[in-house]
């Protein structure tokens, strides 16, 4: 039997690079990770989500080492999250990870478990900034010839241009690569008019965002760099009121005034072209017999209804204790409204237990004693925090002796909590412990940080999580069920 715990490797796309366009699933994959690996620019885009994480930043040309490190660390039992911009499966790190795994003979079921988390890719985000350029068929082509021979790229540009695809050019140019985009424009012009719309979107949804509309004859006059995606329209694309649109083709079959069918057309069968209609022969070749489920009434009249919101209690009717806990949680949710601006100042004589985090475990103060609750998730030298390094660590909690008071008090912990005076480390352990993990989950921590009022105590700002310390047992179990669930 293999004794090493099974690790996990999340391969995550963070979207174009701002918080509104990162998915909740990508954020959870970041939050659950012991270690985050990514190219420096991408790490910087999410760095405010990385506090307390072990972060490995790498440079542009270190992709192979990055993928190997990620696989190795995850294999040895860690949860590792590898981040790419956009979607990790679109010119991202995912492909290389699978190549590395294949090389090492990894089999499904082996450590690490692999999880792909999708992100909004550059063409979607850039498209959204200019209109709807990809409503019909499009092709993505990277102009980088660092790993692909130029003849292959050239052939793909030619084919996409011939096929009248909307063309999204990724990696169009860099400091050293200027020739490719000029060559691409030359090839595409063989098939498309000089007035074909072209959009240049630089750094979509980032601070340096810049959008330039142009056409095939003129777009090379504008700045094109590493962070630009070039969207080249098909023969059908048009610009209307500042929006770049490629129509799907509704206008071929229907009147766009009243939605009625045009003469000779039929809703559920293939579009008839002018040639078909001229020849008057019904152009329905016999259908091959495929195993396809027929959807009855697929073309139904529009119906507008209001969806009833699902009531959570109803889902849990069989288990009344969970339902009660959820009710309590909902009560708490409304009663401790977060409030960033109005900061309450606590008197220093008020007896507050201090809770912080060291190496992934919870630090708790009880009178003059400090306890570390849970197991350290990361190797941590406790002396840097002003404590003696304990010789032995209990699986659940360790009493820490103070080596240097000034260092202990200088360290900033972000959460304040008070418990009834008889609270023991055991009680805190029971409240904060969660399944699968002996130390507090990042998710619980983040939840508490996000959902607590801010308090000043002895001139420092803390998240005031006292409401949490007094929550009934059932609320805690509900936290575990709802917030900490490891899906
Ligand atoms: N995995 C990424 C693509 C990485 S390839 C994705 O799915 O988006 C890098 C290229 O993507 C860049 O050269 C640029 O062409 C494009 N790109 C990535 N992020 C972008 C952004 N925010 N704005 C414009 N283009 C972007």
């Amino acid at each position: 039997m293999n004794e090493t715990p099974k690790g996990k490797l999340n391969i995550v796309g963070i979207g174009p690079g701002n918080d509104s366009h990162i998915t909740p699933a990508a954020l959870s994959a970041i939050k659950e990770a012991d270690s985050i690996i990514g190219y420096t620019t991408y790490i910087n885009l999410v760095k405010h989500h990385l506090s307390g994480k072990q972060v490995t930043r790498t440079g542009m040309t270190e992709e192979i080492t990055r993928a190997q490190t990620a696989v190795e660390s995850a294999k040895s039992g860690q949860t590792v999250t590898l981040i790419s911009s956009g979607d990790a499966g679109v010119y991202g790190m995912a492909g290389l990870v699978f190549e590395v795994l294949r090389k090492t003979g990894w089999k499904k079921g082996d450590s690490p478990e692999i999880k792909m988390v999708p992100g909004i890719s550059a063409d979607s985000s850039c498209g959204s900034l200019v209109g709807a350029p990809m409503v019909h068929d499009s092709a993505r082509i990277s102009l980088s010839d660092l790993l692909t021979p130029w003849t292959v790229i050239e052939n793909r540009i030619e084919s996409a241009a011939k096929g009248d695809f909307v063309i999204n050019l990724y990696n169009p140019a860099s400091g050293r690569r200027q020739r490719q985009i000029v060559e691409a424009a030359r090839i595409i012009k063989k098939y498309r008019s000089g007035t074909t719309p072209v959009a240049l979107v630089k750094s979509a949804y980032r601070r340096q965002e810049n959008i330039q509309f142009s056409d095939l004859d003129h777009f090379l006059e504008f700045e094109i760099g590493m962070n630009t995606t070039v969207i080249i329209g098909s023969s059908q694309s048009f610009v209307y009121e500042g929006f770049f649109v490629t129509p799907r083709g509704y206008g071929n079959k229907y009147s766009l005034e009243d939605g009625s069918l045009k003469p000779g057309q039929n809703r559920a069968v293939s579009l008839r072209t002018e040639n078909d209609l001229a020849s008057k022969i019904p152009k329905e070749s016999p259908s091959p017999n495929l195993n396809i489920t027929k959807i009855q009434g697929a073309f139904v009249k529009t119906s507008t209804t209001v969806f009833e919101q699902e009531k959570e209690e109803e889902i849990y009717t069989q288990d009344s204790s969970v339902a009660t806990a959820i009710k309590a949680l909902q009560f708490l949710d409304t009663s401790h409204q977060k409030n960033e601006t109005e900061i309450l100042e606590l008197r220093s004589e008020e007896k507050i237990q201090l809770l912080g985090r060291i190496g992934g475990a919870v630090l708790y103060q009880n009178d003059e004693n400090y306890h570390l609750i849970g197991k350290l998730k990361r190797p941590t030298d406790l002396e840097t925090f002003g404590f003696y390094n304990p010789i032995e660590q209990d699986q659940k909690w360790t009493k820490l002796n103070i080596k240097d008071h000034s260092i202990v008090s200088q360290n900033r912990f972000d959460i304040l909590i008070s418990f009834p005076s008889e609270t023991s480390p055991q009680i805190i352990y029971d409240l904060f412990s969660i399944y699968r993990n002996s130390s507090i989950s990042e998710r619980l921590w983040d939840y508490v940080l996000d959902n607590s009022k801010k308090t000043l105590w002895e001139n420092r700002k803390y998240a005031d999580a006292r409401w949490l310390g007094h929550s009934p047992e059932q609320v805690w179990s509900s936290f575990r069920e709802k917030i900490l669930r490891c899906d």
Side-chain angles (χ1 to χ4, degrees), residues 16-17 42 84-88 90-92 120-123 125-126 169-172 201-206 225-230:
Y42 307 152
S84 283
S85 77
D87 186 297
V90 178
Y91 307 115
I120 302 178
S121 62
D123 51 5
S125 43
C126 295
L169 297 175
Y170 278 55
N171 302 300
V201 184
K202 178 185 156 201
S203 301
Y205 299 102
R206 300 185 195 160
M226 295 236 302
N227 294 319
T228 312
T229 296
V230 179

Side-chain angles (χ1 to χ4, degrees), residues 329-395:
L329 184 65
Q330 282 163 346
F331 168 75
L332 275 175
D333 262 341
T334 50
S335 61
H336 71 272
Q337 293 145 10
K338 41 177 145 170
N339 193 335
E340 283 281 353
T341 46
E342 181 202 317
I343 296 175
L344 183 79
E345 185 147 13
L346 287 179
R347 294 183 317 267
S348 355
E349 68 267 21
E350 232 168 299
K351 194 72 202 139
I352 296 286
Q353 321 284 346
L354 182 67
L355 267 179
R357 220 172 14 166
I358 294 184
V362 177
L363 183 69
Y364 154 67
Q365 186 187 14
N366 183 5
D367 300 320
E368 271 310 287
N369 294 322
Y370 281 84
H371 294 94
L372 202 57
I373 318 280
K375 227 169 103 184
L376 289 177
K377 273 212 231 159
R378 281 183 292 283
T380 307
D381 182 5
L382 293 169
E383 289 196 32
T384 22
F385 295 89
F387 301 107
Y388 285 106
N389 272 322
I391 319 272
E392 253 181 72
Q393 286 209 30
D394 186 86
Q395 278 287 317

Side-chain angles (χ1 to χ4, degrees), residues 15 28 30 103 110 156 183 236 244 253 259 366 375 391 417 453 467:
S28 334
I30 288 174
K103 198 107 210 146
D110 289 354
R156 290 190 182 156
E183 196 48 26
Q236 303 302 303
F244 181 160
K253 198 174 212 176
N366 183 5
K375 227 169 103 184
I391 319 272
I417 239 180
K453 284 186 180 168
W467 57 276

Side-chain angles (χ1 to χ4, degrees), residues 203-218:
S203 301
Y205 299 102
R206 300 185 195 160
R207 244 180 312 125
Q208 308 81 349
E209 179 182 290
N210 188 37
I211 300 159
Q212 180 66 53
F213 279 90
S214 183
D215 61 29
L216 208 45
D217 274 345
H218 301 95

